[in-house]
Amino acid sequence: MRDVLRLDAVGQALAIKNGQMSARELVEAAIAAIEARDGELNAVVFRRFERALAEIDSIPADAPFAGVPILLKDLGWRQVGEPYAAGSAIRDGLEVAEDGYGVARLREAGFVVLGRTNTPEFGTTITTEPVAFGPTRNPYDPAYSAGGSSGGSAAAVAAGMVALATASDGGGSIRVPASLCGLVGLKPSRGRVSLGPALGEGWSGFSCPGFVTRTVRDTAAALDVVSGFHPGDPYDAPALPGPLTAEVGRDPGRLRIGYLTTHPRGDVPEVPELTEAVTGAAALLESLGHDVEPGGPEALGDLEFPVHFGAIVANNLAAQVAGLGELRGKPIELEELEPRNAAMVSVARTHSAVDHIRATQWMDAFRRRMATWWRAGHDLLLMPSLGVAPFPLGWITPDDLSLAFGRTGHAVSYTSPVNATGQPAISLPLHRTEAGLPVGVQLVAATGREDLLIRVAAQIEQARPFEHPAMEPLA
């Protein structure tokens, strides 16, 4: 039974259906793994083991993932009757009224929810070190960050507690932890997965739900479960040609791929480990028959982008904080927030409604400028998943807020523009530093082309299978 946790979720589901193990045995093995491995990592902040075990017998046997354990990120992915903190002590006592649409679909598919994973306060940074719950550590080196905001989910999957976990991405929060923990992380197209019923959009459309997994087929299968428009959603992603699982193993054809090893803005320092990762991936793609050449969208070099992106995120955070104050019946004071978030809310309160609309209109134009590169005949853009090298805990969160915001800005320089455009992007674990820390590379497709990303990612995975050395077997 110890080896069962090395299977991906699709493999675990097949093993249950073939009678190689029972759903209860699998769930008990995952619980044992969390209990054995999470003490140092601090990935799982809320556990529901007894309730999970009690739910197993009521799962329909024909559900596609009947009995497969999963963890939910404690940001979005609301589950009725369960704690929901979003990385903050401020939400203590505020109840969840109903399941999110994505959680409902996961449960209908037979997944067994074992708990909720750590996230930074309100998901506003790319390292998981909330004051309320403490830091999540990287399974490859506990002195290092697992990334954020889906850091708890990524650490849990990389350490072998579960095969996959939910995530979300508003500025890189799927792709960054996937990169740092050696996983597959796909940010879907805007509107592919509903944020309802609690929300219509997150961060003015920047944020998208998704997963962190160890295999491409798990990413495809999980997205098939939760994807789909719900009446009232503000966006609807372009229709896919069919299930994403059908794209695994399908020939992507000969693609035209551009790649970047340095940021065209010119204000992001070049990092040797990232350059090595991208050039190695470019060579691999070329060996697979694709046309690969340097270059990317000219719009990526616009120096105004970080200003408008940061303003929109801050404005959304201020609105979220105001709403939480109404829910608890008492306004939230800045002193109750972590310093990073207090600073963002303080700045946002100086912005007018006109300022916010103007910033979103700037992003509309930016999105159209970015799209011209794909319309000109390019299929994919290859670039780093993270703008800095793997970093130790505390590096993104120094007391000097100016330094903290600067480092964060560099870290998300390759990811946040794709949140602004709403395009799908996938991080793949194709490189490691000399110290053995994972470094991911990112492929970006045109809006609605998750199918192409899955085809290419599966082709890459077959040519160079992903390894997961952080998954130590249980004693």
Side-chain angles (χ1 to χ4, degrees):
M1 287 301 299
R2 284 179 292 183
D3 290 338
V4 68
L5 296 178
R6 302 191 75 86
L7 298 174
D8 65 0
V10 172
Q12 290 176 354
L14 288 171
I16 291 172
K17 293 185 188 305
N18 294 337
Q20 296 170 257
M21 74 187 79
S22 70
R24 186 169 297 276
E25 287 173 326
L26 176 58
V27 171
E28 288 176 344
I31 289 172
I34 294 171
E35 291 177 331
R37 299 169 179 169
D38 194 45
E40 181 179 44
L41 297 183
N42 191 36
V44 185
V45 291
F46 296 116
R47 302 179 180 187
R48 61 184 310 274
F49 297 162
E50 291 185 6
R51 292 189 292 281
L53 289 167
E55 292 167 358
I56 293 174
D57 292 338
S58 63
I59 299 173
D62 60 351
F65 288 94
V68 175
I70 192 170
L71 290 165
L72 304 180
K73 179 181 179 178
D74 194 35
L75 182 66
W77 300 100
R78 292 168 173 83
Q79 184 175 7
V80 67
E82 300 298 330
Y84 180 71
S88 176
I90 293 172
R91 283 199 57 93
D92 187 35
L94 298 177
E95 296 184 359
V96 175
E98 57 186 321
D99 283 348
Y101 292 146
V103 172
R105 288 186 170 186
L106 288 171
R107 297 176 76 182
E108 289 168 3
F111 283 104
V112 179
V113 178
L114 298 187
R116 303 186 67 81
T117 61
N118 204 7
T119 183
E121 185 180 63
F122 305 130
T124 56
T125 188
I126 48 82
T127 185
T128 301
E129 304 177 45
V131 172
F133 296 96
T136 292
R137 300 181 180 277
N138 193 310
Y140 286 86
D141 186 333
Y144 276 72
S145 173
S149 61
S150 307
S153 288
V157 173
M161 300 179 203
V162 289
L164 80 173
T166 68
S168 57
D169 193 316
S173 290
I174 291 175
R175 291 158 290 163
V176 167
S179 175
L180 291 172
C181 291
L183 301 174
V184 178
L186 193 157
K187 182 197 83 69
S189 295
R190 182 173 299 160
R192 182 69 67 203
V193 182
S194 176
L195 289 165
L199 296 173
E201 62 177 9
W203 286 6
S204 297
F206 294 166
S207 185
C208 302
F211 298 86
V212 283
T213 73
R214 294 193 294 265
T215 65
V216 174
R217 71 175 184 175
D218 265 10
T219 289
L223 282 173
D224 280 342
V225 169
V226 300
S227 293
F229 177 81
H230 284 262
D233 287 348
Y235 311 107
D236 189 8
L240 293 166
L244 287 174
T245 50
E247 305 297 341
V248 178
R250 183 169 289 173
D251 185 359
R254 184 169 182 165
L255 303 177
R256 186 181 178 193
I257 303 172
Y259 71 92
L260 296 172
T261 57
T262 57
H263 203 287
R265 275 208 320 258
D267 63 345
V268 181
E270 183 175 3
V271 180
E273 294 95 334
L274 308 186
T275 299
E276 291 174 17
V278 171
T279 55
L284 175 59
L285 286 163
E286 193 168 41
S287 75
L288 293 172
H290 302 296
D291 296 321
V292 184
E293 58 188 9
E298 182 180 345
L300 273 175
D302 197 316
L303 291 169
E304 289 189 52
F305 174 83
V307 176
H308 297 295
F309 185 88
I312 291 170
V313 172
N315 296 345
N316 276 268
L317 176 62
Q320 181 182 3
V321 167
L324 285 174
E326 292 176 3
L327 276 177
R328 76 173 190 179
K330 177 184 176 183
I332 293 169
E333 303 297 333
L334 291 180
E335 293 75 17
E336 298 179 75
L337 298 168
E338 293 184 20
R340 171 191 70 257
N341 287 331
M344 292 173 67
V345 170
S346 181
V347 168
R349 289 175 178 173
T350 69
H351 298 161
S352 69
V354 171
D355 293 334
H356 180 72
I357 295 299
R358 292 288 290 167
T360 60
Q361 289 174 337
W362 190 95
M363 285 298 174
D364 291 340
F366 176 79
R367 183 169 60 250
R368 297 183 193 283
R369 286 189 288 142
M370 285 280 285
T372 60
W373 189 80
W374 277 266
R375 289 203 305 270
H378 298 90
D379 296 297
L380 296 173
L381 174 63
L382 168 68
M383 54 185 180
S385 298
L386 179 64
V388 297
F391 51 88
L393 291 168
W395 188 78
I396 285 286
T397 55
D399 292 336
D400 183 337
L401 285 180
S402 177
L403 183 61
F405 284 124
R407 288 175 173 175
T408 302
H410 288 161
V412 301
S413 57
Y414 293 99
T415 52
S416 56
V418 187
N419 294 89
T421 63
Q423 294 171 250
I426 191 168
S427 180
L428 300 175
L430 289 178
H431 188 71
R432 296 198 192 281
T433 67
E434 289 186 3
L437 294 169
V439 174
V441 297
Q442 174 184 199
L443 287 164
V444 184
T447 300
R449 294 307 310 271
E450 288 95 327
D451 58 320
L452 184 58
L453 289 179
I454 292 295
R455 289 182 209 171
V456 174
Q459 183 186 49
I460 290 171
E461 184 180 32
Q462 183 177 22
R464 187 177 295 173
F466 307 144
E467 298 178 352
H468 304 286
M471 291 179 58
E472 294 294 335
L474 290 174

